[in-house]
Each structure stands twice: as structure tokens, then as C-alpha cells.
Amino acid sequence: MTGPSEIPTQKPLLRVLAGETVWPPPMWLMRQAGRYLPEYREVRAQAGDFIALCTAPDLAAEVTIQPIRRYGMDGAILFSDILMVPWAMGQSLRFAEGEGPMLEPLRDAAAIARLDPGQCVVRAAPIFETVRLVRAELEAHAPRTTLIGFAGSPFTVACYMVEGHGSRDFAAARGMAYADPALFGRLIRTLVEASTEYLCAQAEAGAEVLMLFDSWAGLLPPSQFRRWVIEPTAALVRAVRKRLPSIPIIGFPRLAGVMLAEYAQRTGVQCLGIDTSMDLRLAAAAVPPGIALQGNLDPLSLIAGGMALEAEARSILAAMRGRPFIFNLGHGIEKVTPPEHVAALVRLVRTG
Ligand SMILES: Cc1c2[nH]c(c1CCC(=O)O)Cc1[nH]c(c(CCC(=O)O)c1C)Cc1[nH]c(c(CCC(=O)O)c1C)Cc1[nH]c(c(C)c1CCC(=O)O)C2
């Protein structure tokens, strides 16, 4: 006899995160809502700037759903940005056309002390409303699609907060971590605290999975990687789990290389996002077998389409057959990607 609590969830992405092998694998694409879609550009123009779009629940919910409507993806990722946490703690932020994000850089103790982590979930309230709207829409029209909430990992978000903008090496942030580890540590702890509340609020509003984007983890040598990536991520995962014991968490420590195994063993995540540089078979051999993998098609192959795309996608499927796996890109989709190439990829993956 199977009681109601033992009936397995039917959502393929949640089954994989529970450690099951599902084939063909569930799929979604990082940055699947974005400028390569004409329907996104239309809503974006209507919203005005990017922050206005992230904080307008109707519009943010609409763009979150667009790739589900068009492609029937197994995962819908909340439309927002990792820099909404610093914004919600009071750091000034704007997205300048062609320049990416611009923040008022945090360079000293006074600037870090002015951050208000307690304000984070208050100012981010419209984002949780977006989560509620998307979840209701998915339950009504796409009941097999899983809603993914997210935050940046403390280290990557701290990189932008200290530097004030994107960078190839985040020298100011990494320099602070060496020169004044107590100060950098205070910023990291503030981010762990605010991100815990922020992620729990997304889950309470209806997010079924949480993902941590650590785009710049790979900049750190091993000792620093343990201190600023593994330890804060483990603390964040523990704090979220204390409140929400069963929520699956995907960690994405981009360019972690050989540190991936230690990240998998020590952070407590159920699934690892794998970047384009990593061999999937080596990643699978390096991590505990119950941990699902997600990735790692090169977004450039999706721009090219045709035989190049087909060969890359098939080699990923061959490497991952027989283990818990979620098909994805290894990095966000590029804005020049032809939408019909995404459709071709979905057809290919769906036929396994
Ligand atoms: C580092 C980082 C950021 N944001 C994010 C990361 C981690 C992943 C990565 O490494 O790419 C994560 C992110 N950003 C966005 C999402 C939404 C969900 C999704 O579809 O994946 C997610 C999960 C929307 C966005 N975030 C941003 C856009 C483009 C804004 C626009 O439409 O003008 C989108 C759709 C802006 C953004 N936001 C950020 C940058 C560097 C930029 C500028 C780059 C660009 O312009 O493409 C910070």
C-alpha cells in the first residue's frame, strides 16, 4: 500500500533532484527568459528599466512564463537578478545599457555597516509576489514544470558589491579578502544572513527548488575557495534547511575545476550546475552518486545550431545516460541565439 505521502512527485525535475534517473532528462536553460526572445523585448520595453521589470510582479511573471509557453521547459526560473539582494539591502544599483550592472562600490567598514540585511525581504516583497503569480500560473497551465527560485552565492554577490561593476578578475574584491579578511568576512556573513531570508521567502511563496549562482567562484585559489565559497555556501544551505528541511538546492560554482568534488561533499547541495569547461564524465566520477548534475551545453553551439549543436547535445546525453541529470547550458543563453535553435534542441533532448 502506498500512502499519499509516498506517492512520488510527477514533476520530472523534482524527481531528478530526489536522486532518481529520469530519461529523457528534464531540461531548462539558464537565462531562458531574455533578449533573444521577441516577446521578452516587448515586455522589457514596456517596463522601462531592468529593475522596474524585476519589481513589477505581473511583468516579471509574464517573462518567467514566456519560455515555458514557447518550449514547454521542465523548469521555470524566477525572472530577477542576483544583484537584487544588494539592492534590497540599500546599495544603489542601476543597469546601464551596454555596460551591465553598476553599484556604488563598498570599499570600507562604514559602507558595509550601512547595509541593512533586515530590510532585504521587505524591499524584495514584489519579487515574492512574482513567485506566487508564476506558481499559480504553472499549477493551472503547466503542472509538470517546476519553479526554481535563486540567489547569487555570497562570494559572487560580494564581488559585484565591492567592485561596483562586472570585471574579469574582481581585483578590488579579492584584494579586500586578502588585505582585510575580517571586513570581507563581515560582508559575507551579512550576505549569508540576507540570502537565507530571501531564499526562504521565495520558497514560502512557491519556489520548489533553489539555485545558488556562484559565477566567479573559479577566480579563487583553493584556500580562498574553501573560505569564501565552500564555507559560506555550506552555512547558507544549513540555514535554509533549518527552516525548509526538504527544499532541493542546486549549487553552481562556475569554473570550480578540481574543487568541485569538495564543494559537492561539503556544501550539502543536491545538484551541481556544471560549466562548459568541465568534462561531465569526470564530474560524475568526482562527486557522490546521489548528487544530480546539471549542464553543460556551450551557449555558442546553440547560436551555431545544426550539426554542431546536435553533436554537442548528443555527447552530453551519452555521458549522462543512466544517472540523475538535468539538461541545461553551461552558461547563460546569448542574446543573439535564434529562438528556433532552442526549439530544435528541445526536440533533440526530448527524444533522448
Ligand atoms: C553574474 C550574474 C548576474 N545575474 C545573474 C548572474 C549569475 C549567472 C551568470 O554568471 O550569468 C543571474 C541572473 N540574471 C538574470 C536571471 C533570470 C533568470 C534566467 O532567465 O536565468 C538570472 C538567474 C536576468 C538578467 N540579468 C541581466 C539581464 C539583461 C538585462 C536586460 O534585459 O537588459 C537579464 C535578462 C543583467 C545582468 N545581471 C548581471 C549581469 C552581469 C548582467 C548584465 C549582462 C547582460 O546584460 O546580459 C549579474
Side-chain angles (χ1 to χ4, degrees):
M1 281 254 294
T2 310
S5 64
E6 290 155 86
I7 293 172
T9 168
Q10 291 309 300
K11 295 192 180 192
L13 200 137
L14 289 176
R15 287 171 55 201
V16 170
L17 292 170
E20 242 186 273
T21 299
V22 176
W23 214 262
M27 74 180 294
W28 66 281
L29 303 178
M30 291 190 282
R31 294 270 182 108
Q32 63 190 11
R35 282 173 292 192
Y36 75 106
L37 289 178
E39 59 268 36
Y40 170 84
R41 292 195 299 269
E42 213 169 282
V43 176
R44 174 82 168 73
Q46 206 181 311
D49 70 25
F50 180 70
I51 295 175
L53 175 53
C54 292
T55 52
D58 292 5
L59 299 182
E62 166 59 21
V63 296
T64 302
I65 299 283
Q66 283 173 348
I68 314 310
R69 222 180 265 138
R70 199 187 252 261
Y71 303 115
M73 297 293 185
D74 297 287
I77 186 155
L78 167 68
F79 188 83
S80 182
D81 195 84
I82 64 166
L83 299 179
M84 295 310 284
V85 165
W87 172 84
M89 289 195 292
Q91 189 174 12
S92 92
L93 168 68
R94 67 193 172 85
F95 285 85
E97 200 60 55
E99 285 176 89
M102 307 293 283
L103 300 112
E104 181 71 39
L106 303 182
R107 295 288 165 84
D108 56 28
I112 290 172
R114 276 196 296 275
L115 295 170
D116 190 350
Q119 249 326 88
C120 180
V121 285
V122 178
R123 280 194 88 191
I127 295 170
F128 312 133
E129 181 56 23
T130 304
V131 172
R132 270 180 221 103
L133 294 176
V134 173
R135 183 66 190 277
E137 175 85 11
L138 293 177
E139 293 303 323
H141 301 293
R144 288 170 61 83
T145 298
T146 301
L147 177 54
I148 305 165
F150 72 91
S153 289
F155 174 69
T156 285
V157 177
C159 278
Y160 285 97
M161 292 175 83
V162 173
E163 210 77 27
H165 49 78
S167 159
R168 248 182 339 174
D169 61 2
F170 289 92
R174 293 194 303 114
M176 182 192 284
Y178 283 114
D180 194 346
L183 181 62
F184 194 71
R186 216 174 304 149
L187 174 57
I188 292 286
R189 275 197 305 281
T190 302
L191 281 164
V192 170
E193 185 190 329
S195 308
T196 299
E197 297 299 321
Y198 179 72
L199 287 166
C200 287
Q202 288 182 42
E204 282 152 10
E208 301 167 279
V209 173
L210 300 171
M211 177 155 166
L212 297 170
F213 286 88
D214 214 340
S215 307
W216 299 105
L219 291 176
L220 295 174
S223 62
Q224 296 278 294
F225 186 97
R226 292 186 181 103
R227 183 165 186 184
W228 305 121
V229 171
I230 292 181
E231 287 172 20
T233 301
L236 180 50
V237 169
R238 262 197 316 275
V240 169
R241 286 276 162 66
K242 208 166 152 192
R243 297 247 295 269
L244 301 153
S246 58
I247 189 110
I249 301 177
I250 304 171
F252 182 37
R254 196 165 71 86
L255 300 175
V258 293
M259 296 305 288
L260 191 69
E262 200 172 317
Y263 179 98
Q265 286 151 13
R266 291 182 51 203
T267 57
V269 299
Q270 271 78 33
C271 175
L272 289 172
I274 306 295
D275 64 75
T276 49
S277 73
M278 174 71 67
D279 181 290
L280 281 174
R281 289 180 208 266
L282 291 181
V287 308
I291 293 192
L293 299 182
Q294 169 178 283
N296 75 341
L297 185 76
D298 188 343
L300 272 294
S301 75
L302 193 54
I303 299 174
M307 306 263 284
L309 171 61
E310 190 175 330
E312 288 300 314
R314 286 203 193 288
S315 95
I316 289 170
L317 291 169
M320 290 292 98
R321 188 176 273 280
R323 82 175 318 288
F325 177 63
I326 299 164
F327 194 100
N328 204 320
L329 301 175
H331 194 37
I333 197 164
E334 298 279 346
K335 67 172 178 234
V336 297
T337 306
E340 61 276 16
H341 291 185
V342 177
L345 174 66
V346 171
R347 281 195 301 275
L348 190 152
V349 175
R350 293 266 193 259
T351 53

